Amino acid sequence: EASEQLLEATLRGDEEAVARGVDAAHDEHTSILSYNNENSLACVLSLAYYYARYDYVVHREYATGKGFADLVMIPRKNVSSPTIIVELKYKQDADTAISQILRKEYPAKGADYSGEMLLVGINYDKEQKTHQCQIVKIEQ
């Protein structure tokens, strides 16, 4: 249910709800020994968006443009949802994640699958132990 709500919040562009959902998933699925590990957060994000697999083909470390997107969700055939590109940052900010998506041309490959895209930048603040989210909608 939490995974379904996270996907719905992402599709609505509800940045605060997405940040809260990722916070909850991070708390629930990560050992205290690896809580501040970027790879652990990437794994948690895959779990958090598990529900998306009903409507999307989900890829981790997806080769796109001039780099690798942390998570790309491509809509399945006959699903009229946007492609979702997620970039994680650690000790930076969500705007930096969005900038990287655009600078490294991640949307170029996603355009093959869907005209509309959601670019999702998520940053983890180690000191506050919270996540920030920025969502940008683009048309290809």
Side-chain angles (χ1 to χ4, degrees):
E1 186 177 309
S3 179
E4 181 179 11
Q5 291 172 357
L6 179 62
L7 178 61
E8 289 173 358
T10 303
L11 292 171
R12 283 193 316 271
D14 187 340
E15 298 168 337
E16 289 182 17
V18 171
R20 284 192 309 273
V22 173
D23 276 341
H26 198 179
D27 285 343
E28 184 176 332
H29 297 290
T30 305
S31 159
I32 191 69
L33 299 175
S34 62
Y35 196 85
N36 293 325
N37 179 288
E38 190 173 359
N39 189 49
S40 290
L41 180 56
C43 290
V44 164
L45 203 60
S46 293
L47 284 172
Y49 278 106
Y50 191 79
Y51 182 84
R53 295 177 190 282
Y54 288 106
D55 290 334
Y56 289 90
V57 177
V58 179
H59 302 274
R60 265 192 75 201
E61 298 299 329
Y62 191 65
T64 56
K66 298 177 181 175
F68 294 88
D70 289 315
L71 192 67
V72 174
M73 295 178 261
I74 299 169
R76 295 185 183 279
K77 290 181 181 178
N78 302 319
V79 172
S80 60
S81 293
T83 296
I84 301 172
I85 300 174
V86 181
E87 182 62 31
L88 298 170
K89 288 294 165 200
Y90 178 67
K91 297 191 286 186
Q92 295 183 45
D93 58 50
D95 186 54
T96 300
I98 297 294
S99 295
Q100 179 177 323
I101 291 171
L102 295 171
R103 185 179 71 255
K104 292 194 174 184
E105 301 174 11
Y106 293 173
K109 190 165 184 180
D112 296 342
Y113 304 100
S114 171
E116 183 180 73
M117 291 185 172
L118 295 178
L119 311 181
V120 181
I122 298 175
N123 180 64
Y124 174 64
D125 182 323
K126 179 181 174 181
E127 303 305 319
Q128 301 295 319
K129 293 193 188 293
T130 58
H131 299 81
Q132 300 83 36
C133 176
Q134 182 177 356
I135 300 173
V136 175
K137 184 177 180 179
I138 62 171
E139 296 284 334
Q140 291 289 328

